């Protein structure tokens, strides 16, 4: 009886594969887009109400792309910045009125996906998100997060403007950091702590830190770790019950190697001290992340799932990208796919292969679309009667 059951299973699987091949031929779709769906089983319906707190310089732009793609593919509503804005009130604490359409319909509209930059303010977020929303965020080692912020925001942050290097800044931070400037210096110290809605200049006293960490644990079901991005995607996919292709992504808003600097060992220790709140935050949730992974998956299963994710990324890169290596601004031929440039950072993007069929082209464009362009695209789809967002740098 068991042998007969196995034979039936493989017969059904073969018929499904043949059907996919036939469908791909009729619709002129590259079969590589369809084949992964055959063995892509999930337990239960997907989670469709998701709030992602987009922290700064933590690989969060790649996560945002994943969420925007999921929203568009499943025809879900996104909580987007109102009018011509490109963030949800940052660096001020979030207010519901920063969301386009939030105040329509009397008691306020609820949205499925929320993932644009904001400073977390739970009572106001709850005004625009359903009660069953899945909350998550991402953290990065604050030593490397601060280095990225220094390069990216060099010309925007008062504390960084008049110092030659991050090592020089960390050697004497109070020479450059004026605490009275408040929000304008948010990127220069404990910025992940700040994004969570807390005081980034608070003394790192034990009782205070523990209380705030407990607040984060109560508000968020998951905090991902940027240094372990693929493992993070495996865990996120499992908890959201999403398909593999929903969480496969190309790296976005990344810098070229020549715009990445290395801190001296002494500078790294100073960065941990200067960003002591972020360091405690990262240490704590790095531990809970791995504890959650071990509770959900065996080491062997985790290795298998990570390998599967990476293989699918390679397949889609071969399908979509003209060259698997990301390109700098001058090398990107489609102006609409050029990412925003900031500070000393050389932000990279991608060129797509020519001659893709329409469905494959649409899929690939979504995967490489920079966040400002994708937000403007979703805004136009969601609010067709409102003026489109103007991305000024694309016309430069």
């Amino acid at each position: 009886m068991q042998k007969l059951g196995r034979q039936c299973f493989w017969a059904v699987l073969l018929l499904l594969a043949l059907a996919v091949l036939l469908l791909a031929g009729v619709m002129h779709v590259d079969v590589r887009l369809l084949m992964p769906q055959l063995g892509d089983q999930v337990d239960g319906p997907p989670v469709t109400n998701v709030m992602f707190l987009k922290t700064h310089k933590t690989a969060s732009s790649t996560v945002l792309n994943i969420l925007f793609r999921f929203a568009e593919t499943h025809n879900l509503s996104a909580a987007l910045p109102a009018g011509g804005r490109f963030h949800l009130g940052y660096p001020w604490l979030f207010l519901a009125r920063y969301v386009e359409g939030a105040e329509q319909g009397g008691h306020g509209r609820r949205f499925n996906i929320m993932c644009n930059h904001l400073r977390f303010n739970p009572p106001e977020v709850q005004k625009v998100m359903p009660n069953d929303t899945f909350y998550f965020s991402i953290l990065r080692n604050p030593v490397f997060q601060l280095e990225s912020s220094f390069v990216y925001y060099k010309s925007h942050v008062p504390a960084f403007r008049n110092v030659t290097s991050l090592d020089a800044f960390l050697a004497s931070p109070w020479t450059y950091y004026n605490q009275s400037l408040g929000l304008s210096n948010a990127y220069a110290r404990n910025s992940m702590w700040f994004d969570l809605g807390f005081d980034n200049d608070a003394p790192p006293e034990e009782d205070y830190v523990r209380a705030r960490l407990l607040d984060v644990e109560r508000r968020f079901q998951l905090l991902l770790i940027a240094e372990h991005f693929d493992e993070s995607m495996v865990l996120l996919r499992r908890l959201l019950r999403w398909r593999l292709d929903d969480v496969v992504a190309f790296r976005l808003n990344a810098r070229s190697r020549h715009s990445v600097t290395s801190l001296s060992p002494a500078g790294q220790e100073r960065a941990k001290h200067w960003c002591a709140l972020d360091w405690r935050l990262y240490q704590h949730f790095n531990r809970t992340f791995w504890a959650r992974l071990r509770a959900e998956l065996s080491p062997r299963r985790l290795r298998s799932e990570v390998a599967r994710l990476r293989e699918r990324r390679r397949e889609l890169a071969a399908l979509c990208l003209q060259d698997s290596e990301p390109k700098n601004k001058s090398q990107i031929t489609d102006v609409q796919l050029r990412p925003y440039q900031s500070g000393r950072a050389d932000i990279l993007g991608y060129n797509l292969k020519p001659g893709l069929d329409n469905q494959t082209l649409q899929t690939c464009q979504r995967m490489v679309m920079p966040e400002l362009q994708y937000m403007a695209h979703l805004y136009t789809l969601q609010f067709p009667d409102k003026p489109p967002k103007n991305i000024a740098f694309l016309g430069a």
Side-chain angles (χ1 to χ4, degrees):
M1 196 70 179
Q2 289 179 340
K3 183 178 180 182
L4 180 61
R6 286 196 298 271
Q7 290 174 338
C8 289
F9 170 79
W10 288 112
V12 170
L13 194 61
L14 178 61
L15 286 172
L16 283 172
L18 291 172
V20 167
L21 290 170
L22 179 62
L23 180 63
V26 170
M27 298 179 64
H28 305 288
V29 175
D30 194 305
V31 70
R32 286 173 289 181
L33 283 181
L34 302 177
M35 289 304 289
Q37 314 310 325
L38 288 176
D40 200 8
Q41 297 180 343
V42 293
D43 298 324
V47 174
T48 55
N49 295 326
V50 177
M51 191 277 168
F52 171 60
L53 179 62
K54 189 179 188 296
T55 48
H56 289 78
K57 316 315 299 174
T58 57
S60 63
S61 293
T62 303
V63 180
L64 177 137
N65 177 268
I66 287 169
L67 294 170
F68 275 172
R69 281 164 32 209
F70 189 83
E72 184 175 11
T73 302
H74 294 83
N75 197 29
L76 301 175
S77 61
L80 300 172
R85 300 182 185 90
F86 286 91
H87 55 72
L88 293 167
Y90 196 90
W92 292 272
L93 285 168
F94 172 77
L95 297 175
R97 61 181 174 84
Y98 297 152
V99 175
E100 187 70 73
E103 297 177 349
Q104 295 176 357
H107 296 291
R109 180 180 175 182
R110 297 293 191 274
F111 297 86
N112 300 116
I113 304 292
M114 187 178 205
C115 55
N116 284 96
H117 276 308
L118 60 82
R119 190 176 180 207
F120 195 53
N121 186 7
E124 290 292 311
V125 170
Q126 289 165 359
K127 291 180 181 179
V128 297
M129 297 302 293
N131 292 334
D132 64 349
T133 294
F134 182 94
Y135 288 80
F136 78 105
S137 188
I138 188 167
L139 303 175
R140 182 183 182 186
N141 185 317
V143 172
F144 307 114
Q145 192 272 344
L146 183 63
E147 182 276 330
S148 183
S149 292
F150 181 83
V151 173
Y152 195 84
Y153 299 113
K154 181 73 170 67
S155 58
H156 300 289
V157 175
F160 292 157
R161 283 181 193 148
N162 299 315
V163 61
T164 55
S165 69
L166 183 56
D167 263 318
F169 172 82
L170 290 169
S172 182
W174 292 109
T175 301
Y176 308 99
Y177 184 87
N178 185 343
Q179 192 169 338
S180 68
L181 293 179
L183 300 181
S184 61
N185 268 333
Y187 299 117
R189 191 184 194 197
N190 294 311
S191 73
M192 294 182 290
W193 193 265
F194 179 86
D195 289 346
L196 284 161
F198 305 141
D199 179 4
N200 60 320
D201 282 321
E205 296 171 352
E206 189 64 25
D207 288 347
Y208 168 75
V209 172
R210 286 186 178 181
R212 298 294 77 74
L213 293 177
L214 187 59
D215 286 342
V216 177
E217 287 184 342
R218 288 172 179 152
R219 297 289 185 185
F220 291 85
Q221 283 96 316
L222 179 65
L223 275 88
L224 308 178
I225 301 298
E227 285 79 10
H228 304 286
F229 191 84
D230 290 343
E231 292 85 352
S232 292
M233 290 303 101
V234 166
L235 182 55
L236 181 69
R237 176 184 176 236
R238 182 177 180 87
L239 297 179
L240 295 182
R241 301 187 294 273
W242 286 8
R243 300 177 304 112
L244 178 62
D245 276 12
D246 292 330
V247 299
V248 174
F250 302 141
R251 191 179 176 197
L252 297 179
N253 210 39
R255 292 176 290 158
S256 63
R257 291 186 183 94
H258 74 78
S259 63
V260 178
T261 59
S262 297
L263 275 174
S264 66
Q268 292 188 30
E269 291 306 310
R270 289 174 182 140
K272 294 175 187 177
H273 180 76
W274 176 247
C275 295
L277 296 170
D278 271 0
W279 180 240
R280 288 291 305 276
L281 180 74
Y282 177 79
Q283 285 184 305
H284 178 84
F285 285 104
N286 188 36
R287 286 193 296 267
T288 63
F289 171 78
W290 287 104
R292 185 73 175 272
L293 260 181
R294 287 191 289 270
E296 293 283 342
L297 295 164
S298 68
R300 183 177 180 180
R301 177 71 180 277
L302 176 61
R303 288 193 298 270
S304 174
E305 290 293 319
V306 168
R308 188 176 171 213
L309 176 77
R310 291 172 178 169
E311 177 59 27
R312 182 56 177 159
R313 185 188 296 128
R314 286 191 291 269
E315 291 174 357
L316 288 172
L319 173 65
C320 293
L321 304 181
Q322 193 170 35
D323 187 333
S324 59
E325 291 297 315
K327 303 298 181 184
N328 64 37
K329 175 185 173 182
S330 65
Q331 296 171 316
I332 300 172
T333 55
D334 185 345
V335 174
Q336 296 301 316
L337 296 181
R338 291 178 182 171
Y340 175 70
Q341 305 292 317
S342 177
R344 295 179 178 175
D346 179 21
I347 306 299
L348 304 177
Y350 298 93
N351 285 323
L352 296 179
K353 280 185 175 178
L356 299 174
D357 65 77
N358 287 340
Q359 185 171 341
T360 304
L361 177 62
Q362 184 182 66
T363 297
C364 295
Q365 283 176 331
R366 289 171 178 171
M367 293 192 72
V368 303
M369 193 178 299
E371 63 180 276
L372 296 183
Q373 288 92 312
Y374 211 150
M375 177 174 40
H377 169 67
L378 287 184
Y379 185 88
T380 299
L381 290 178
Q382 200 162 297
F383 304 102
D385 297 331
K386 293 187 177 293
K389 290 185 183 291
N390 176 37
I391 305 177
F393 77 90
L394 292 179

